[in-house]
Amino acid sequence: MNIVDLITIPLQYPFMVKAIVVSSVVGAVCALLSCFLILKGWSLLGDAISHAVLPGVVLAYIIGIPFSVGGFIFALLAVLLIGSIKTHTKIKEDAVMGIVFTTLFALGLILISRTVSSIDLMHVLFGYVLGISDVAAWYTIGVSAVVAAIILTFRRTLLLFCFDPTHMQSVGVSAKFIHYFLLVLLAVTITASLQTVGIILVIAMLITPGSTAFLLTKRFPVMLVIASVVSVVSSVVGAYASYYLDVSTGGAIVFFQGCVFLGAFAFSVIRSHRKKNTSVVSV
Amino acid sequence: MYAIELHNVSVEYQDRMGLENASIQIPEGTFSGVIGMNGAGKSTLFKVIMGLVRPTSGSVLVDQKTPLQAQKEGVVAYVPQNELVDWDFPVSVYDVVMMGRFGLQNIFRTPRAEDHAQVMNALEKVGMKEYRDRQIGELSGGQKKRVFVARALAHGADILLLDEPFAGVDAKSEHALTELLLTLKQAGKTIILSTHELTSLSEYCDHVALIKKTVVAYGPTTEVFTRDNVTQTFDGAMHRIKFSA
Ligand SMILES: Nc1ncnc2c1ncn2[C@@H]1O[C@H](COP(=O)(O)OP(=O)(O)OP(=O)(O)O)[C@@H](O)[C@H]1O
Ligand SMILES: [Mg+2]
């Protein structure tokens, strides 16, 4: 089998085409968002939100509304809970997040165990992009495109918010508003990505590409490009790997992203080592 | 006309007072030095003017407007005492100074020719033009300070607040900065600057505010910067300072 066949054979199956397209689109939007999240230090918050959507997904299944709607409601609930507990107590934010998301996640588990026809828990937790319906695929693509367009359009505002919210406030732009704006983008992205990589792994899509890019550049626009490319390539590689090796798509995508991160890490260590050596010599 | 007016402003932090019944009227086009001991309330005064801290009582007017309105109209620019930013952030010196133009740009914040010109101008003025492509963390402490001064300059506001801009800045840069601020004053801007450098203060400040929880005294340097006032503000005699009276 030559390389062209390797690439084209899976594309004969509509479910594979769908899987590749959806994973790539989700990968791109998560990558864009990840650049802001890791700079803002919101990685753990992303993790918390993604776990907290579980009961929403299960309830949505029970009532018969789209998963993402239920997920989104619980994402906002988690954000509000975390925010209000933090402002009314002296408990550190990471502890508050831990309590809120594990409690909501546990509620989700309880609901799942009581749901008779039982949604496949594995699919909710780890994604099942190969089995995505047309409607869900279009929904995911649509939402991702809108979120990506919003992020790119307002990237300078979001960047200033991450870098220096006090300055933003001092030029008369509400940092609080942008704070919630970014949170909503995060919640929407997480719920839109659920079917691709699932609740557990979506956080990887929201941390790894941005972190990889951060290792490789000091320019924010370049960082956005690198993160997106890394993420989309990982999604495609992951989808093919799941076809040929018969492994979990979400698992393959996230694992490949982690490998790219390690590669970038090795590269950045070698590069800074070289720089140090040359500067010593040149002195 | 007054650039800044505070009437009986009090600020309460969780358990202590930041300011108590502070009143001050700073005329337009003046260069005011704000002095006082550590914890006296100088930064709090600046934050109240910038609307970053809300007074528990009293009123604040900036160019006859509320602080928020003044900010929205781009009347006032501010250099904080401590930049609480992540120095590893992937932004360059140029990018940071461009943030000074943020409030003046359209909703997409796309820099126009005018913005680029003002940024280069501001970088030139603080002598940081050659460093414009550096990542913001790859600078010395004093250079960082100058970048944030440039950010406020790029804003082009009529009122400029600088909270200890000389801290950690070398003598040459300090001199260059005061010269620059004096030319801005000549151009009609109002400069308000806090400092612990009492010896050189009277060389460039035409007004002085003495702060000790409240405004102990404010007025022309020649009238207010006296041994008595300074002694009262600083809880002790200041031997080596040349006073006006
Ligand atoms: N965020 C805060 N929370 C609680 N108290 C604060 C806060 N900021 C300042 N304070 C208190 O308010 C008082 C005034 O502080 P401020 O920062 O205005 O002083 P300052 O004159 O600027 O001092 P310095 O010369 O050290 O910069 C101090 O007693 C300080 O401890
Ligand atoms: Mg201070």
Side-chain angles (χ1 to χ4, degrees):
Chain A
M1 211 175 0
N2 63 31
I3 184 101
V4 176
D5 286 345
L6 271 178
I7 291 170
T8 52
I9 286 174
L11 299 180
Q12 292 163 358
Y13 304 96
F15 74 89
M16 270 307 291
V17 176
K18 251 194 300 182
I20 291 170
V21 172
V22 171
S23 318
S24 304
V25 172
V26 165
V29 69
C30 286
L32 292 176
L33 198 53
S34 75
C35 294
F36 297 95
L37 289 195
I38 64 143
L39 291 175
K40 185 72 188 162
W42 276 10
S43 308
L44 188 60
L45 184 61
D47 197 26
I49 294 176
S50 60
H51 281 78
V53 301
L54 183 61
V57 172
V58 182
L59 284 174
Y61 174 81
I62 296 171
I63 308 171
I65 57 173
F67 287 1
S68 13
V69 174
F72 182 67
I73 291 170
F74 271 77
L76 292 189
L77 181 69
V79 167
L80 290 177
L81 268 176
I82 291 169
S84 65
I85 294 176
K86 206 191 80 185
T87 45
H88 290 106
T89 64
K90 285 189 171 160
I91 304 172
K92 294 264 185 322
E93 186 164 30
D94 56 345
V96 176
M97 285 193 252
I99 295 168
V100 170
F101 91 69
T102 48
T103 306
L104 287 172
F105 189 72
L107 174 65
L109 289 180
I110 292 172
L111 287 173
I112 283 188
S113 58
R114 290 293 296 167
T115 310
V116 195
S117 66
S118 153
I119 325 164
D120 195 334
L121 179 62
M122 290 294 281
H123 290 173
V124 177
L125 293 185
F126 303 108
Y128 186 51
V129 71
L130 295 179
I132 194 169
S133 71
D134 281 355
V135 176
W138 282 117
Y139 173 83
T140 304
I141 292 170
V143 169
S144 302
V146 170
V147 173
I150 291 175
I151 293 174
L152 287 175
T153 308
F154 297 109
R155 62 186 186 281
R156 295 190 180 91
T157 303
L158 293 172
L159 183 68
L160 178 57
F161 168 71
C162 294
F163 180 64
D164 195 349
T166 312
H167 176 67
M168 173 170 243
Q169 195 73 47
S170 81
V171 294
V173 179
S174 168
K176 199 160 210 162
F177 175 77
I178 305 297
H179 181 107
Y180 285 107
F181 183 68
L182 188 54
L183 277 179
V184 169
L185 287 179
L186 179 59
V188 171
T189 306
I190 287 174
T191 48
S193 321
L194 283 186
Q195 193 139 13
T196 312
V197 280
I199 283 172
I200 307 282
L201 292 178
V202 65
I203 190 59
M205 310 276 286
L206 286 169
I207 302 177
T208 317
S211 304
T212 306
F214 182 70
L215 288 177
L216 300 176
T217 180
K218 291 173 192 167
R219 290 269 175 273
F220 189 70
V222 181
M223 187 172 160
L224 288 176
V225 173
I226 295 179
S228 309
V229 170
V230 164
S231 191
V232 171
V233 169
S234 303
S235 293
V236 175
V237 169
Y240 276 96
S242 71
Y243 177 86
Y244 283 111
L245 307 175
D246 193 23
V247 293
S248 145
T249 320
I253 293 172
V254 170
F255 183 72
F256 188 76
Q257 280 186 353
C259 293
V260 176
F261 175 81
L262 280 182
F265 169 67
F267 175 78
S268 72
V269 169
I270 293 167
R271 185 176 57 179
S272 67
H273 193 71
R274 280 235 186 93
K275 259 190 203 154
K276 260 181 223 148
N277 280 352
T278 48
S279 62
V280 169
V281 171
S282 66
V283 160
Chain B
M1 278 234 280
Y2 295 115
I4 308 284
E5 285 180 81
L6 269 70
H7 294 289
N8 296 321
V9 168
S10 296
V11 172
E12 221 176 300
Y13 291 112
Q14 291 88 352
D15 48 352
R16 62 181 86 80
M17 299 297 285
L19 277 178
E20 259 182 281
N21 264 324
S23 299
I24 192 168
Q25 292 178 314
I26 301 179
E28 264 177 17
T30 52
F31 193 143
S32 301
V34 177
I35 57 174
M37 290 196 291
N38 291 138
K42 302 180 295 298
S43 298
T44 304
L45 176 75
F46 283 24
K47 287 176 192 163
V48 163
I49 296 171
M50 291 310 294
L52 297 170
V53 163
R54 205 160 291 162
T56 24
S57 62
S59 69
V60 182
L61 285 179
V62 178
D63 193 29
Q64 336 273 313
K65 306 172 199 61
T66 64
L68 186 66
Q69 192 57 34
Q71 286 164 7
K72 286 212 168 121
E73 293 178 18
V75 176
V76 53
Y78 166 60
V79 183
Q81 180 173 8
N82 298 309
E83 285 300 340
L84 301 170
V85 302
D86 172 3
W87 297 105
D88 292 328
F89 223 83
V91 288
S92 66
V93 167
Y94 193 89
D95 296 334
V96 170
V97 179
M98 185 59 86
M99 289 170 187
R101 305 289 300 170
F102 191 84
L104 311 168
Q105 293 167 330
N106 66 14
I107 188 150
F108 305 117
R109 316 291 168 184
T110 321
R112 295 151 303 178
E114 163 79 2
D115 297 320
H116 288 296
Q118 289 298 332
V119 169
M120 284 310 271
N121 196 5
L123 281 167
E124 176 106 64
K125 280 179 180 161
V126 299
M128 289 296 293
K129 206 169 157 185
E130 312 86 271
Y131 297 89
R132 63 180 177 276
D133 291 327
R134 286 261 188 112
Q135 191 266 333
I136 186 72
E138 299 169 347
L139 299 173
S140 74
Q143 290 170 335
K144 286 175 184 161
K145 196 90 211 177
R146 282 149 66 190
V147 170
F148 283 91
V149 171
R151 181 172 79 175
L153 293 179
H155 189 294
D158 287 335
I159 305 171
L160 204 52
L161 302 180
L162 303 104
D163 198 353
E164 298 197 22
F166 302 139
V169 169
D170 62 49
K172 180 165 171 262
S173 305
E174 178 182 334
H175 181 72
L177 182 57
T178 47
E179 289 300 309
L180 168 63
L181 294 174
L182 282 170
T183 58
L184 290 175
K185 184 191 112 176
Q186 239 88 74
K189 313 241 168 192
T190 309
I191 318 283
I192 304 163
L193 169 156
S194 75
T195 180
H196 289 289
E197 290 284 325
L198 302 189
T199 37
S200 54
L201 186 74
S202 53
E203 290 164 19
Y204 52 87
C205 291
D206 49 43
H207 281 61
V208 172
L210 298 110
I211 310 289
K212 187 179 178 183
K213 286 286 132 176
T214 184
V215 180
V216 175
Y218 175 72
T221 311
T222 44
E223 293 167 24
V224 168
F225 194 54
T226 59
R227 183 175 300 278
D228 279 355
N229 276 343
V230 173
T231 307
Q232 191 198 337
T233 309
F234 287 88
D235 291 345
M238 300 274 150
H239 299 294
R240 279 179 301 168
I241 303 167
K242 275 202 309 227
F243 290 105
S244 326

